[in-house]
Amino acid sequence: MPRPTKQSPERGDARTRLLEAACDVVRQKGFAATSVDDLCQEAGVTKGAFFHHFKTKEALGVAAANHWAETTSALFANASFHELDDPLDRVLAYLDLRKGIIGGEVFEFTCLVGTMTQEVHESAPAIRDACAESIFGHAATLEADIEAARQQRGIDADWTAESLARHTQAVLQGGFILAKATGDPELARESVDHLRNYIEQLFGVAG
Amino acid sequence: MPRPTKQSPERGDARTRLLEAACDVVRQKGFAATSVDDLCQEAGVTKGAFFHHFKTKEALGVAAANHWAETTSALFANASFHELDDPLDRVLAYLDLRKGIIGGEVFEFTCLVGTMTQEVHESAPAIRDACAESIFGHAATLEADIEAARQQRGIDADWTAESLARHTQAVLQGGFILAKATGDPELARESVDHLRNYIEQLFGVAG
DNA sequence: GAATAGATACCAACTGTACGGTATGTATCT
DNA sequence: AGATACATACCGTACAGTTGGTATCTATTC
């Protein structure tokens, strides 16, 4: 899904370009430190266009979180691991996919909604709620496979599929923070490895 | 951060109050959204005092990260779990302590340096580095107990104590994000439970 | 131990500007 | 003709940082 560039004239409309700019710039600088002018410049549009499409900067934040939820859910919905028959294999393949994405520049693999949540959880509830829906909506797609795996293998666990799905998201988000602290993606991958190891152990798989 | 010396005698109250204000306000609003005036008002000092003690807002960010490292390391250094004989017990008791701290208002239990890292990792390397030192310095204190536990129990692991110590910090940081997304501390505690469960399994402890 | 000089710790008032947002325009659709 | 999709120019303010001041320490000298 190649993103239109500033050179190419048939790139998306201003609204879409602003949302994509927000994904990139906010992940680099944070939401508060990203100015409306920053976004307009990155998107190649004017402020008039910005405030035509978004009533306020906060409204853009909400729309960006929703845009993020849409694009990432499409990404994972189309991934090939869903074709695996064994639900546990699907869960583990999901983790492998997540790990494989982590690399290159920090802003390229980190999570927009995790970043925004940290900043605005108190001051902008509308953005926070949109971020929460993205995170937990995504976790819910994983929860189904975890629960299926648990039932299929007859695991009598003291944890719920819901909590384990949420835990995967916590590990990913936390890994991103360590990666940001050092600039080294390996720290995020390392935590995914521990998470995979944990899930294998929960399901009695030999490492 | 250096204790008051003869050259730099008892540092004014204002400096400490500003650092403590930063810990509170930045955890609520984020670093960029926290204005110097916010901090001065919270600390009950004037802007003149602020810029007497800190050359720039960024310098305050560095000092706040160092202050955080100091106060938290003192907190954990004085905790009673260090008296336990079994190193694995110390690791598990550390997790119990971490879990016990999580509760009340979000800004009261979340991590200043994790929050700041997310925001400034690209734009303010000095703050990022101070945050990284706080995070990984803390992880290192845990690493010692993990390594001792591993050697004591003769575990031939495919993971290092260093990576597991870092993973604990990732889980905590990630748990904080989920808690912020919902306002519910339980989500952070839940991830600590999974982490504890993981470590017990790594060391062959029956849940 | 008094006087003095310099450094430190603050305070109040100010400044330049970058920010979010607005007002108003025009071209292109339906 | 009206709505949509932009663009240009502008506005009030909140921001980080400055200036210039005073009070209070500390060190030194006589």
Side-chain angles (χ1 to χ4, degrees):
Chain A
M1 198 170 57
R3 180 180 294 186
T5 65
K6 277 183 195 165
Q7 275 68 29
S8 116
E10 73 271 335
R11 65 208 146 120
D13 58 334
R15 185 187 147 89
T16 305
R17 273 181 283 155
L18 281 165
L19 291 174
E20 285 165 354
C23 289
D24 287 353
V25 182
V26 170
R27 282 192 286 173
Q28 290 181 257
K29 303 173 53 167
F31 181 75
T34 297
S35 71
V36 172
D37 286 316
D38 285 340
L39 295 172
C40 291
Q41 189 176 359
E42 178 77 10
V45 304
T46 63
K47 260 174 133 168
F50 184 99
F51 286 102
H52 171 71
H53 289 290
F54 308 104
K55 199 183 168 198
T56 63
K57 186 189 171 187
E58 182 176 341
L60 166 104
V62 173
N66 291 333
H67 179 74
W68 177 263
E70 279 170 33
T71 55
T72 55
S73 74
L75 176 73
F76 289 107
N78 293 330
S80 58
F81 70 81
H82 292 292
E83 296 161 12
L84 295 169
D85 290 329
D86 185 340
L88 179 58
D89 284 345
R90 291 200 294 274
V91 173
L92 296 176
Y94 165 82
L95 292 179
D96 293 339
L97 175 58
R98 292 305 303 256
K99 185 183 173 186
I101 292 171
I102 299 167
E105 289 302 309
V106 166
F107 83 94
E108 293 173 324
F109 65 82
T110 51
C111 176
L112 174 73
V113 293
T115 300
M116 288 204 295
T117 296
Q118 279 261 42
E119 275 193 74
V120 305
H121 63 102
E122 290 243 346
S123 47
I127 298 178
R128 180 203 58 207
D129 292 345
C131 291
E133 200 184 317
S134 175
I135 293 172
F136 296 108
H138 179 66
T141 68
L142 189 62
E143 182 187 335
D145 280 341
I146 293 174
E147 179 60 23
R150 200 174 71 141
Q151 287 184 7
Q152 192 209 34
R153 310 212 164 202
I155 306 278
D156 184 26
D158 57 350
W159 43 267
T160 64
E162 187 185 17
S163 81
L164 184 54
R166 284 196 291 242
H167 181 58
T168 63
Q169 301 310 302
V171 170
L172 287 162
Q173 297 291 344
F176 295 156
I177 292 188
L178 299 199
K180 285 176 181 174
T182 57
D184 183 5
E186 178 57 25
L187 293 201
R189 288 192 291 260
E190 187 181 75
S191 265
V192 177
D193 285 338
H194 278 293
L195 176 60
R196 194 188 203 280
N197 197 20
Y198 174 49
I199 292 180
E200 283 178 347
Q201 288 189 30
L202 286 179
F203 285 94
V205 177
Chain B
M1 216 161 40
R3 294 240 49 197
T5 64
K6 277 176 189 170
Q7 269 71 23
S8 223
E10 182 54 38
R11 290 205 121 148
D13 221 17
R15 185 186 150 91
T16 305
R17 291 216 304 278
L18 282 165
L19 291 174
E20 283 164 356
C23 288
D24 287 353
V25 182
V26 169
R27 283 191 286 173
Q28 290 182 255
K29 303 173 53 167
F31 181 75
T34 297
S35 70
V36 172
D37 287 315
D38 285 339
L39 296 172
C40 291
Q41 189 175 359
E42 178 78 10
V45 303
T46 63
K47 263 176 128 165
F50 184 99
F51 285 101
H52 171 71
H53 289 290
F54 308 104
K55 199 183 168 202
T56 63
K57 187 188 170 189
E58 183 176 340
L60 166 105
V62 173
N66 291 334
H67 179 74
W68 177 263
E70 258 182 54
T71 55
T72 56
S73 75
L75 175 73
F76 289 107
N78 293 331
S80 58
F81 71 82
H82 291 292
E83 297 161 12
L84 295 168
D85 290 329
D86 185 341
L88 179 57
D89 285 344
R90 291 200 293 274
V91 173
L92 297 176
Y94 164 82
L95 292 179
D96 294 339
L97 174 59
R98 293 305 303 256
K99 185 183 173 187
I101 291 171
I102 299 168
E105 289 301 310
V106 166
F107 84 93
E108 293 173 323
F109 64 84
T110 51
C111 175
L112 174 73
V113 294
T115 300
M116 287 203 296
T117 296
Q118 279 262 40
E119 274 192 76
V120 306
H121 63 104
E122 290 244 346
S123 47
I127 299 178
R128 181 203 58 207
D129 291 346
C131 291
E133 198 182 318
S134 174
I135 294 172
F136 297 108
H138 179 65
T141 67
L142 189 61
E143 181 186 336
D145 280 341
I146 292 174
E147 180 60 24
R150 201 176 70 142
Q151 288 184 6
Q152 192 208 35
R153 308 210 165 204
I155 306 277
D156 184 24
D158 57 349
W159 44 266
T160 64
E162 187 185 16
S163 82
L164 184 55
R166 285 196 291 241
H167 180 59
T168 64
Q169 302 311 301
V171 170
L172 287 162
Q173 297 290 346
F176 295 156
I177 292 188
L178 298 198
K180 285 176 182 174
T182 58
D184 183 6
E186 178 56 26
L187 293 201
R189 288 193 291 261
E190 188 181 76
S191 265
V192 177
D193 285 339
H194 277 293
L195 176 60
R196 194 187 204 280
N197 198 19
Y198 175 48
I199 292 180
E200 283 178 347
Q201 288 190 30
L202 286 179
F203 284 94
V205 178

